[in-house]
Amino acid sequence: MAKTALVTGILGQDGPYLADLLIKKGYRVFGLIRRYSNPNFSNLDYVGVTNEIDYVEGDMNDEASLLNLIRTLHPDEVYNLAAQSFVKTSFDQAKLTTEVNSLGPLYLLNAIKFFSPTTKFYQASTSEMFGLQHTNGYQDEQTPFHPRSPYGVSKVYAYWMTVNYRESYGLFTANGILFNHESPIRGIQFVTRKITDGVAKIKLGLAKELRLGNLDAKRDWGFAGDYVEAMYLMLQQKNPDDYVIGTGESHSVREFVEAAFKSIGIADWKKYVVIDPQFKRPAEVPNLKAKADKAKRNLNWKPKVSFEELVEMMVKADLKRYGSK
Ligand code: NAP
Ligand code: GDD
C-alpha cells in the first residue's frame, strides 16, 4: 500500500515542492488547507501537482480539526510546514503568530500521541531561533538559541515541544532547522522575491525604483527544492533527530540586490534602490550561516543550487511572469 503523508502549509512555498517529491516517491499526499472563499493554488500549479493532492480542511488554530484528521487518516508521516512565517508581521501580530506556530504543532503532537503514535512528525524549525547567537561565525545543532522576534520565539517553543514529545513518549519527531530557502514561488514579501520581482519590473519599464530596508543583514540562502529533500530524509532515518540545513555560504541583502541587477545587465543598481525605514525591524538578526555537517554525514544531504543560480532562476521566472521572452 502507498505510504501516506499529511502536509500542512501545502499552499505556501515549501508545501508544493515537498508534495512533488513525495508524489514522485509514490506517496499519497493529503494537503491541509484552511477554509477560503477562494483558495490560491498558484504555487501548486507552478510545481504542477495541484490535481495530485487530496485536500483536507482544517486550521492550525482549530485543535479539533487537527485531532480529527490524525484520528481518521493515520498518516505515516506529518510534515508541519504551516506557519505565520513572515518575521516582520510577527512583531505586530505576536499572539496570532504564537497560536499558529507554537500551539498548532502542539495540537498535532497531541493528536499523534493519542490517536496515531506510529506517525512520524517533521517540524519546520528555523535558523531564526539562533538570532544573535553563533559559534565562531556559524550556527549548528550545538549553537544556543537567542530569538529576536515573536516569530523566532514561537518557533523555539515548537522546537522544544517536538524534542519533548520524542523524549517523553518515544514518538518519532524531528526538527529541521532550516536556513533561508527561496524559489520562484517564494512569497512576494520576503526580501529575495521582492528584489527579483522588483528587478524584473524595472527591466521591463513597469517600475522605477525598489524600496528596501536593511541591506547589511546576511543570510544563508538556498533553493527550496533542495531543502524539502532534507525534510523527507529526516523522517526516513532509523532514529529521529534534529538537523541544521543550509549551504554554509552567507551573503548580504546588498549582495543579493547586486547579483539580481547584474543578471539583467545593470551594474549601477544604486540608482534604483531606495532605503525605506518602514521595511526595517525593531530587532534584526544580523548574520546567519549554517554548518550543516551533521546532515551531510547522517542524511547524505547537500545543496545542489548555488547562490548565483538561485538569483538567476528567480529573476528569470519573474521576467517570464511579466511576459518577457
Ligand atoms: P509560507 O510560504 O509562508 O507558507 C506557510 C503556509 O502556512 C501557507 O500555506 C499558509 O496557508 C499556512 N498557514 C498559515 N496559517 C495557517 C493556519 N492557521 N492554518 C493552516 N495553515 C496555515 O512558508 P514557507 O516558506 O513555505 O515555509 C514553510 C515552513 O518552514 C514555515 O513553517 C516556515 O516558518 C518554516 N521555515 C521557512 C524557511 C524559509 O526560508 N522558507 C526557513 C526556515 C523555516 P495559506 O496559504 O492559507 O495562507
Ligand atoms: N522582507 C524584507 N523586505 N526584508 C528586508 C527588506 C525588505 O524590504 N529589506 C531588507 N530586508 C532584510 C530583513 O531585515 C532581513 O534581515 C532579511 O532581509 C531577510 O528578510 P526576509 O526575506 O523577510 O526573511 P527572514 O530572514 O526574516 O525570514 C525568513 O527566513 C527564516 C529562516 O531564517 C522566513 O522565511 C522565515 O519564515 C524563516 O524562518
Side-chain angles (χ1 to χ4, degrees):
M1 221 168 60
K3 274 193 172 182
T4 55
L6 172 65
V7 179
T8 72
I10 194 79
L11 303 180
Q13 171 188 251
D14 292 359
Y17 284 108
L18 177 65
D20 186 39
L21 178 125
L22 293 173
I23 288 162
K24 286 186 176 134
K25 293 199 179 287
Y27 279 66
R28 180 169 179 201
V29 175
F30 295 95
L32 179 82
I33 52 175
R34 338 186 223 184
R35 195 268 154 187
Y36 276 110
S37 43
N38 273 313
N40 182 350
F41 290 93
S42 60
N43 288 353
L44 287 161
D45 288 343
Y46 183 90
V47 174
V49 290
T50 311
N51 298 324
E52 295 179 63
I53 289 163
D54 289 294
Y55 298 99
V56 289
E57 213 173 270
D59 195 300
M60 295 304 289
N61 279 327
D62 187 73
E63 186 172 16
S65 67
L66 302 178
L67 286 173
N68 196 39
L69 281 172
I70 299 296
R71 189 180 62 83
T72 52
L73 296 177
H74 282 286
D76 292 299
E77 295 167 11
V78 171
Y79 293 88
N80 181 37
L81 309 183
Q84 190 307 90
S85 75
F86 191 47
V87 173
K88 177 112 190 336
T89 292
S90 78
F91 288 99
D92 300 319
Q93 298 183 32
K95 179 173 178 274
L96 176 94
T97 303
T98 306
E99 284 166 352
V100 177
N101 299 3
S102 306
L103 296 183
L106 174 63
Y107 300 154
L108 283 171
L109 286 164
N110 274 332
I112 291 171
K113 176 186 161 197
F114 291 126
F115 297 117
S116 191
T118 56
T119 295
K120 296 178 177 180
F121 179 77
Y122 173 87
Q123 169 58 18
S125 288
T126 164
S127 48
E128 273 290 305
M129 299 188 303
F130 296 121
L132 284 183
Q133 288 282 4
H134 62 86
T135 314
N136 303 322
Y138 59 78
Q139 290 92 10
D140 68 8
E141 293 82 3
Q142 260 62 59
T143 306
F145 298 144
H146 181 156
R148 295 272 284 169
S149 63
Y151 169 81
V153 174
S154 73
K155 287 281 188 174
V156 169
Y157 174 91
Y159 171 92
W160 282 116
M161 277 303 186
T162 301
V163 172
N164 184 262
Y165 274 50
R166 179 165 78 220
E167 293 175 350
S168 303
Y169 310 115
L171 301 183
F172 192 113
T173 64
N175 281 291
I177 308 174
L178 271 51
F179 284 59
N180 299 50
H181 47 280
E182 320 293 315
S183 74
I185 55 170
R186 179 62 143 154
I188 196 82
Q189 286 178 307
F190 299 95
V191 78
T192 55
R193 183 73 203 294
K194 183 174 170 186
I195 294 167
T196 62
D197 178 79
V199 160
K201 281 188 183 150
I202 288 167
K203 168 81 176 169
L204 300 173
L206 302 171
K208 289 193 166 56
E209 63 179 29
L210 174 57
R211 303 184 85 83
L212 294 169
N214 176 18
L215 300 188
D216 295 321
K218 288 183 154 183
R219 291 291 181 273
D220 179 332
W221 281 296
F223 171 52
D226 289 345
Y227 286 41
V228 297
E229 235 176 277
M231 298 176 187
Y232 165 76
L233 288 170
M234 282 177 221
L235 296 199
Q236 313 314 312
Q237 302 308 300
K238 188 155 175 277
N239 298 311
D241 210 341
D242 310 311
Y243 293 92
V244 155
I245 299 295
T247 69
E249 242 186 67
S250 182
H251 295 272
S252 65
V253 174
R254 183 178 287 99
E255 284 165 352
F256 196 105
V257 170
E258 245 168 41
F261 274 98
K262 191 172 158 214
S263 77
I264 57 159
I266 294 178
D268 191 8
W269 58 270
K270 290 189 181 124
K271 272 200 327 215
Y272 300 95
V273 172
V274 179
I275 301 303
D276 187 335
Q278 70 163 303
F279 298 114
K280 295 192 172 166
R281 292 161 187 194
E284 179 62 283
V285 171
N287 198 351
L288 292 175
K289 183 157 94 164
K291 192 168 188 205
D293 293 3
K294 182 174 167 186
K296 197 172 172 193
R297 206 170 47 243
N298 295 5
L299 307 178
N300 196 21
W301 179 88
K302 59 176 195 295
K304 298 184 188 93
V305 176
S306 72
F307 174 75
E308 291 75 20
E309 287 166 343
L310 177 67
V311 175
E312 206 180 310
M313 177 202 303
M314 291 177 69
V315 172
K316 262 194 186 151
D318 278 318
L319 282 168
K320 199 168 162 199
R321 272 197 188 93
Y322 289 111
S324 166
K325 300 256 165 9

